[in-house]
Amino acid sequence: MAVLDPPEAGPPEAGPPGTRPRETSAAAVALLLSRRRRAQARRAAVPAVLLSVLLVGLVAASLLLELRRVPLADVAPAALGLRDGLADYVIFRIRMPRVLAAGLAGALFGISGALYQGLIRNPLATPDIVGVSAGAGAGAITVLVLAPTLPYGTTLAALAGSFLAVGLIHALSWRGGVDTYRLVLVGIGLSAVCTAYTNYLFTIADEHSMDVAMRWLIGSTAGATWQGVRVLAVALAVCLVVARLLTRPLAGIALGDELATGLGTHVPRARMLTLLLGAAAAALATSVVGPIGFVALISGPIAARLAGGDRACALAPLVGAVIVVGADVLAQRAPLVSPVPTGVFTALLGAPYFVHLILRRPNGAPA
Amino acid sequence: MNSTMTELSSPHTRPVRGVAVTLSGSMALAIVIVAGVGLGARDISPLDVVRALAHAGGADYDAQVLWTERIPRTLLAVLVGASLGSSGLIMQALTLNPLADPGILGVEQGAALFVVSGVVMFHVTGVRAYFWLALAGAAVTAALVYGIGVRTQTGSTTIGLVLAGVAVAAICASATTLLVARDDAANAHLRFWSVGQLTGRAGVLDEIVPFAAAGLLLALPLGRTLNMLNLGEDAAAALGVRVGRARLMCAAVGVLLCASATAAVGPVAFVGLVAAHCARLMIGADHRWALPLSMTCGAVLLCLADIVGRLAGGQGEVQVAVMTALLGTPFFVWLARRGDLVRV
């Protein structure tokens, strides 16, 4: 995004009346700048409000559609855990955790994608494309099959798997510097290995159901629990705070490593922290809902288009949440095809967008 | 190996080397076939295998197991492997893309999607009908991926094709899941359309043989055409090749091979990639020799992957597509790391 040059601040000189027009123009520029800043803030606020309304509507749809035998009046108390019986079971035990897990996981995927896209400066280099989510899923499924009783085992294993995947991708695509397309290719290979490994584990597992397999291969919010929601909520809070702290260093790195160092950023540390934070966000989301694909990829670019490049990082979680909750409503309630895993709809939505991102643009058009 | 140079300088493999490599390839294939027939949940010694192969229709239990299960399955693996290997080589030669593979470019997923749509919506049954559906799906997907791949802004069509393939494969796989996921019975029945496997597919052998054999026979004489196309369009035209028609014909044969393999066992990635590179590494980029050798390499690879998958699984078998992904991905990553591939 083009940055307007600051207006030339000439020394105020008490001159003849001829200097008056110059002062007026400086004041005009200042006015213009402040208007512009306000316009930018407005431009970011409008989509944020619209997305929030959309999110609330989707959450309501997820809770209320096809209620059948639960009276509508019981819904609000049941959602707060104040009712017994059927209403409590349907709303509080099944639907609430599911929709909350979808929203929180979507927000986490959105953050992780925006962080990677901001750092690597390539819209394709997101955790779901380069295999970080798949690595997290492979870690989680390993614990699930080999040591299912470990407390928070899947969460920790997903984190370990994602960090391992980041390290491997970085090491394998390093060749006197990292080319982003080599990174993406290596990541695609790594995803294939992780998917194959997950498939293999299902073969040797004692018992496996289609639901579980779908969840860990495609990603699904079915079977989300309140414990999973708690993990996601804590993860989202921590990630939002750390990501906020990283905004300034990332903006510096975007201008070039030398300039960022000059501005007082420890570039390697900030880079490493961003990579690990993005991986952790994707891994924690994956540990609850599985590797739901393409959300991290499309959240950042959509946020950038809605609110402008600088504010993409702030809006991306909201976009991610809307996408996953929307996909989840479709996956549960779409006529003819439902119920299907959530990841099916995010892929059907995200893969065409992926194609749109790699297609050649006419000269001069923004990426 | 500097692939650009070897491809540009019209390589010719000396017949002595060609015959030697082909012979050793055939021996490797024979060994793998005997191993594939002999190894499994019930081990049968190689001598007994050879004896059973020599005298068809033995009455004892081992012979029964061999003739009804192991031998059809191994032959199916050989046919599918050979089809995928040569399909991979043709695709790599046509697109000048060292990462091309019918699985990686999403062509197999497209074929699988068409077959599953036919089964779910029109209640199609029988491998013959599967084949025609797979052929249509593979052709449409190949055209789509190629059309997207050459229009990307990624700096090289090599990467553009792979990314386009990943996207199209994701769409096709999701649509396949959409069609089968709501019905557990259909899911159990159609599961191999998302992960290719040889388990329980031995029965389709005699139905798929005509298609696979036709594809392989059509592919064999293409080596010379591919050599000339690799000289560049102008040089090929000067040598009397009608470039557009030749490219279309080669692509059609590649798609046909891929479709018959997918109709038989479902999508199996990475076999074509590895087989084509192995063939070129052993014999050079002369496609008159590399094409038959890529068939041999593909067959050996798929049989090996099947044997390993049979022995590695605990209670069940590991699907052959999972094994080829585990074996083939390191190779893919190694190729992706090569300096001449990625424009920095």
Side-chain angles (χ1 to χ4, degrees), chain A residues 172 175 179 189 358 360, chain B residues 151 153 182 317 329 337 342:
Chain A
L172 286 174
R175 226 188 134 100
D179 174 81
I358 60 174
R360 199 182 297 137
Chain B
R151 285 182 183 77
Q153 51 162 4
R182 69 197 150 126
E317 297 179 356
T329 316
R337 274 175 59 78
V342 177

Side-chain angles (χ1 to χ4, degrees), chain A residues 14 36 58 87 203 242 267 284 301 347 359:
Chain A
R36 195 182 138 89
L58 286 170
T203 322
V242 182
V267 174
L284 291 166
L359 279 184

